[in-house]
Amino acid sequence: MKMTDAEKIISSHCKKEVKAGELVIADVDFAIAQDGTAPLAIEVFKKMEQEKVLFPEKIAFFIDHSAPPPNREISALHKLMRDFAKKHKVKLHDVGEGVCHVVTTEKGYVKPGDLVVGADSHTSSYGALNAFATGVGSTDLAAVMASGKIWLRVPEIIKIILTGKIPEGVYSKDIILYLMGKITSRGAVYKSIEFEGEVIEELSMEARFTISNMAMEMGAKAGIMRADEKTVKWLEGKVEEKITPVVPDEGASYDKIFEYDISNISPQIACPHSVDNVFPVEKVEGTPIQQAFIGTCTNGRLEDLQIAASILKGKRVHPDVRLIVAPASRTVYLEALKKGIISQLVEAKAAVVTPGCGCCVGTHNGIPADGENVISTANRNFKGRMGNPNSFIYLASPATVAASCLNGKITDPRRYLNE
Amino acid sequence: MSEKILKGKAHKLGDDINTDYIISGRYKFKTLDPNELARHLLEDICPDFYQKISPGDFIVAGENFGCGSSREQAPLAIKYAGIGAVIAKSFARIFYRNAINIGLPIIITDTDEINQDDTLLIDLKKGAITVCNREKTLSITPFPSEILSIIEAGGLVEYFKKYGGWRI
Ligand code: SF4
């Protein structure tokens, strides 16, 4: 049988050949949960009357969504996680270490061919490392802690081939937003996506994570890429085991195949209140903004901060705008400090907050006021996402966010590229 | 999903109802108490939704219900608000998993055939929805047997308690 990469990875984790549509119980290589989902997973684990986490070395908890905690209810949930992690020897990444998906990859918890689940929807990020990684719920996570296994339906695959030359001022965020507009929020429900083509090969690992991260916004279970020299190089020093990339068989069966030439696309913006409400920047340029946010598992990595700083350095954020920056991890933060990126951002008037989810999910760290517009590097712009249903969120690349900060309105970053 | 026949009124919603709308992150991160979450069900898009529903009523939606985050608090808030089942044209995949895992009945059918305030009778065993006030019957997409065994146990907690682990 000719197999897709998802079929190959899932087959090797349930010790039989499986094909799309089948329901299986598969072994899990690594599982994560964060402070919005782990407390419930712990409760469920207890309700299941389980005593022991079967493979504690394969489980990591992250305190990132509300870190440091803004109120005592959340402090109590964090304590619940710490106590459980200590008792069961589960890995715990505490306040200040950063966003789960970024830390997981930095620590080398995931390698090509792995089957990874996370009680967080953007677990799809690790697809960029040629792993089958998918978001699950808290009860699923409790079952994984108890048994090391998960129930899964082997997904059909949509193949997306990206060709052409990446235009100046266009970044991986623009590419995935462009795809969002084409494929829509429900274009890949119950399916997985295989990304390939010269454009993916051209992108850095950091930029690839942005694309797999947002694959789930199309409803996809996973967003898998091939492993190439860049992948192997990136994993060096992080993963000790031998790396065996998974390559789909020639002639494997696909639900759909799309090919896009991105040579002529503009920077893209997702407008309120859905991620697939996407327009080229020209269409929305001039929309006033009051808050800007650079960070998240989508675009809070070193490369992202560097791009933003290259536009902001030596200038000042528009007086009507507040810029909040959350480095995605402590490692990113430290690197950005060493490289002088943080001082460039702060000199430009950015407010830098603790590594973590920042204001992405509306728990703290910058909740917009009624009627305000926010431009953000995050992956979601649902109504109320940042904590206020009466505000409006525009999603864009770090370059577009930085350029917009300078002008106080949505701005095409290409205006600042050659300055 | 222990009762085989469900009866209640239809509350219609549109397509792409995401988990942030079902239960806002403002509450989700604060509490594990599903009764507290239930009081804020859908409040950002339908103020006072919790006051408008009676126990056993149904949420009837379009495509891609429950898209967005993995928050299991979303189906939990629905279950604890007393909703008998969610009926939609399609569900987002994590929501689908979570609903099954916590034992909230979810049903796939062509919901264009159901109107706001219709009284519905759902026979899960037979796989049919009757629209009582219009004498109309709709068929339901059945669950695969493995999933049915989780649902029949009343969710994954009960399943694990009953079988001590995976049985499939
Ligand atoms: S940064 Fe935002 S999208 Fe990413 S894990 Fe945190 S809350 Fe979720």
Side-chain angles (χ1 to χ4, degrees):
Chain A
M1 190 182 91
K2 306 282 189 211
M3 293 172 127
T4 63
D5 45 12
E7 287 169 335
K8 283 192 172 180
I9 297 175
I10 298 173
S11 292
S12 69
H13 288 79
C14 57
K15 295 167 199 79
K16 60 174 182 183
E17 235 178 60
V18 300
K19 58 177 193 306
E22 266 181 69
L23 216 114
V24 301
I25 308 288
D27 291 329
V28 170
D29 292 307
F30 205 80
I32 66 146
Q34 32 86 348
D35 48 340
T37 56
L40 193 55
I42 293 168
E43 290 256 306
V44 174
F45 184 81
K46 290 177 187 160
K47 279 201 196 129
M48 283 176 169
E49 296 170 358
Q50 298 295 317
E51 306 272 298
K52 193 168 166 278
V53 175
L54 202 56
F55 303 112
E57 69 285 0
K58 293 185 181 182
I59 313 281
F61 287 172
F62 295 84
I63 296 179
D64 56 357
H65 277 54
S66 311
N71 56 51
R72 64 182 183 190
E73 289 90 345
I74 295 177
S75 314
L77 297 177
H78 288 175
K79 183 173 180 312
L80 177 74
M81 287 172 72
R82 277 184 209 107
D83 293 348
F84 184 91
K86 199 172 227 170
K87 176 167 172 208
H88 293 277
K89 305 202 165 49
V90 163
K91 295 182 204 303
L92 180 95
H93 295 280
D94 215 318
V95 173
E97 284 193 64
V99 187
C100 51
H101 305 307
V102 176
V103 178
T104 294
T105 54
E106 286 170 351
K107 294 277 175 202
Y109 293 155
V110 180
K111 63 179 188 310
D114 279 357
L115 193 151
V116 183
V117 299
D120 187 281
S121 45
H122 297 103
T123 302
S124 65
S125 306
Y126 321 139
L129 287 172
N130 189 232
F132 183 87
T134 192
V136 299
S138 294
T139 297
D140 282 312
L141 201 96
V144 173
M145 291 198 288
S147 70
K149 294 179 198 292
I150 186 113
W151 68 267
L152 280 179
R153 191 184 154 278
V154 184
E156 287 82 22
I157 306 284
I158 296 175
K159 190 203 283 253
I160 298 180
I161 306 167
L162 296 170
T163 62
K165 196 172 167 310
I166 305 168
E168 219 190 351
V170 168
Y171 301 88
S172 66
K173 179 61 159 289
D174 301 301
I175 298 170
I176 188 67
L177 288 178
Y178 175 78
L179 294 177
M180 279 304 308
K182 297 281 176 206
I183 292 174
T184 79
S185 297
R186 48 179 123 111
V189 176
Y190 308 132
K191 314 259 162 71
S192 287
I193 299 174
E194 263 179 30
F195 292 101
E196 60 174 67
E198 55 189 346
V199 171
I200 302 292
E201 287 160 27
E202 189 59 35
L203 295 173
S204 68
M205 275 316 298
E206 292 183 307
R208 292 180 193 180
F209 284 125
T210 307
I211 291 182
S212 288
N213 175 276
M214 287 191 70
M216 83 75 48
E217 298 302 331
M218 300 169 184
K221 196 168 209 160
I224 310 177
M225 296 180 179
R226 304 279 180 94
D228 60 9
E229 302 92 77
K230 281 187 191 167
T231 323
V232 174
K233 182 142 198 300
W234 197 85
L235 288 165
E236 251 169 47
K238 297 187 178 81
V239 171
E240 280 166 17
E241 296 100 312
K242 190 171 167 292
I243 288 159
T244 324
V246 178
V247 186
D249 290 327
E250 201 69 49
S253 129
Y254 290 92
D255 185 62
K256 285 188 191 112
I257 300 180
F258 297 110
E259 188 168 336
Y260 298 100
D261 182 339
I262 56 109
S263 307
N264 294 310
I265 71 168
S266 300
Q268 306 280 307
I269 310 272
C271 295
H273 292 293
S274 75
V275 186
D276 57 1
N277 188 22
V278 175
F279 297 93
V281 66
E282 294 88 343
K283 285 260 157 60
V284 273
E285 238 195 339
T287 308
I289 52 156
Q290 289 78 37
Q291 179 168 315
F293 176 48
I294 298 173
T296 78
C297 55
T298 315
N299 279 123
R301 296 181 175 81
L302 189 66
E303 191 175 279
D304 302 312
L305 301 188
Q306 199 150 26
I307 291 166
S310 70
I311 292 174
L312 291 167
K313 70 164 183 263
K315 302 197 176 73
R316 296 185 72 99
V317 169
H318 190 277
D320 295 342
V321 178
R322 44 197 193 270
L323 166 61
I324 297 164
V325 176
S329 72
R330 182 181 288 155
T331 309
V332 168
Y333 199 6
L334 278 169
E335 279 296 307
L337 277 168
K338 276 189 217 146
K339 290 192 147 68
I341 293 169
I342 296 293
S343 40
Q344 286 169 352
L345 293 171
V346 174
E347 275 157 18
K349 262 185 41 183
V352 179
V353 301
T354 315
C357 300
C359 54
C360 174
V361 70
T363 49
H364 66 154
N365 269 341
I367 292 165
D370 285 0
E372 285 192 330
N373 292 336
V374 181
I375 191 162
S376 160
T377 65
N379 45 29
R380 288 207 173 128
N381 60 351
F382 303 149
K383 192 175 178 185
R385 170 74 182 181
M386 294 180 83
N388 185 346
N390 302 318
S391 62
F392 302 86
I393 308 167
Y394 295 79
L395 305 177
S397 75
T400 306
V401 172
S404 305
C405 277
L406 293 175
N407 265 343
K409 45 194 182 205
I410 295 179
T411 301
D412 189 334
R414 292 172 295 190
R415 296 182 190 283
Y416 288 93
L417 283 185
N418 299 315
E419 285 196 1
Chain B
M1 217 189 223
S2 40
E3 323 93 272
K4 279 171 245 130
I5 311 272
L6 307 169
K7 190 174 180 187
K9 233 170 60 175
H11 297 270
K12 285 207 79 170
L13 300 170
D15 291 334
D16 299 311
I17 301 298
N18 65 57
T19 49
D20 282 307
Y21 292 169
I22 296 169
I23 182 72
S24 162
R26 293 196 295 286
Y27 309 111
K28 167 203 168 180
F29 294 98
K30 252 190 168 151
T31 176
L32 285 177
D33 176 6
N35 293 305
E36 173 62 21
L37 294 173
R39 280 191 278 278
H40 300 288
L41 184 63
L42 289 160
E43 75 175 19
D44 280 356
I45 55 163
C46 312
D48 302 324
F49 186 81
Y50 180 72
Q51 273 77 37
K52 288 180 195 149
I53 53 175
S54 311
D57 281 0
F58 305 112
I59 289 177
V60 179
E63 300 279 3
N64 203 20
F65 185 85
C67 59
S69 85
S70 61
R71 62 188 65 151
E72 197 158 305
Q73 285 87 336
L76 274 177
I78 294 174
K79 188 179 171 179
Y80 279 80
I83 293 289
V86 184
I87 310 166
K89 289 184 194 165
S90 67
F91 290 89
R93 55 161 294 271
I94 303 183
F95 184 89
Y96 183 89
R97 300 187 66 86
N98 286 343
I100 289 165
N101 286 345
I102 66 154
L104 169 71
I106 50 173
I107 293 160
I108 299 175
T109 193
D110 180 6
T111 49
D112 286 345
E113 303 289 329
I114 300 172
N115 298 334
Q116 172 70 27
D117 296 331
D118 273 351
T119 302
L120 309 176
L121 199 71
I122 305 180
D123 188 328
L124 292 167
K125 272 268 143 59
K126 267 209 290 198
I129 301 179
T130 311
V131 184
C132 302
N133 44 316
R134 290 188 287 126
E135 293 184 16
K136 193 182 180 84
T137 309
L138 308 171
S139 65
I140 299 174
T141 313
F143 288 111
S145 62
E146 298 90 336
I147 287 187
L148 206 61
S149 66
I150 300 175
I151 293 171
E152 276 171 355
L156 214 48
V157 168
E158 297 307 319
Y159 180 99
F160 262 66
K161 273 171 45 184
K162 194 163 159 196
Y163 302 114
W166 296 106
R167 194 179 60 122
I168 305 164

